[in-house]
Amino acid sequence: MPLQLKLTAITLDCADPEALAAFYRQATGYELHPRSDGDFAGLTREDGLFIGFQRVDDYRPPQWLGQTAAQQLHLDFAVDDLDEAEAGLLELGAAKPKDQPGGDRWRVLVDPAGHPFCLTRSRPVTQGVPDQSDTPV
């Protein structure tokens, strides 16, 4: 029988955990964990998913489409309106790289610590599985 793993947390390295947690809190509305501090901060979604931000000395941000400091992973966020979400996130401090491989299907942004993340259109769920036709890779 295969293992039944349940994703409970994602942790991102950064230079300033509190600042990065504030960015994602404004972007997602997730609750700030009460024990967040300058070394480790976290946000909790209603269903319990935790996004953590840990301080790393001499942190080097990943490079979008570069290999000097590879991105290693990125987050995808579903939104109803790509233009509106992009504009709001840029106001919060995100940046938009020149290279946009998704065309009109998705947008790549970079958070204040340099982590790339994608905005995708919200999709209908069929039999418990979201349509993945526009999912970035």
Side-chain angles (χ1 to χ4, degrees):
M1 177 167 85
L3 294 174
Q4 296 294 313
L5 301 176
K6 178 182 177 184
L7 180 64
T8 59
I10 298 166
T11 302
L12 302 175
D13 292 348
C14 62
D16 186 344
E18 292 173 310
L20 197 55
F23 169 81
Y24 279 105
R25 183 176 186 202
Q26 291 177 349
T28 64
Y30 297 174
E31 291 295 319
L32 182 66
H33 192 278
R35 292 192 309 219
S36 294
D37 62 27
D39 289 321
F40 191 91
L43 301 175
T44 305
R45 193 169 67 182
E46 289 176 2
D47 66 0
L49 179 66
F50 182 84
I51 302 176
F53 310 96
Q54 66 185 2
R55 178 181 302 285
V56 171
D57 292 333
D58 300 321
Y59 170 74
R60 286 182 39 203
Q63 299 299 307
W64 173 244
L65 293 180
Q67 295 302 313
T68 332
Q71 66 171 320
Q72 298 179 12
L73 70 91
H74 69 268
L75 304 173
D76 289 354
F77 294 97
V79 298
D80 291 331
D81 185 306
L82 289 173
D83 293 330
E84 182 180 320
E86 176 185 317
L89 288 160
L90 292 173
E91 285 181 27
L92 292 177
K96 184 176 179 180
K98 185 176 88 169
D99 294 314
Q100 293 291 319
D104 292 335
R105 297 182 307 158
W106 71 82
R107 308 276 168 79
V108 177
L109 297 178
V110 178
D111 72 23
H115 303 106
F117 65 94
C118 293
L119 300 178
T120 64
R121 287 191 181 92
S122 296
R123 298 179 275 293
V125 175
T126 307
Q127 297 181 349
V129 179
D131 172 13
Q132 298 295 313
S133 60
D134 283 342
T135 301
V137 289

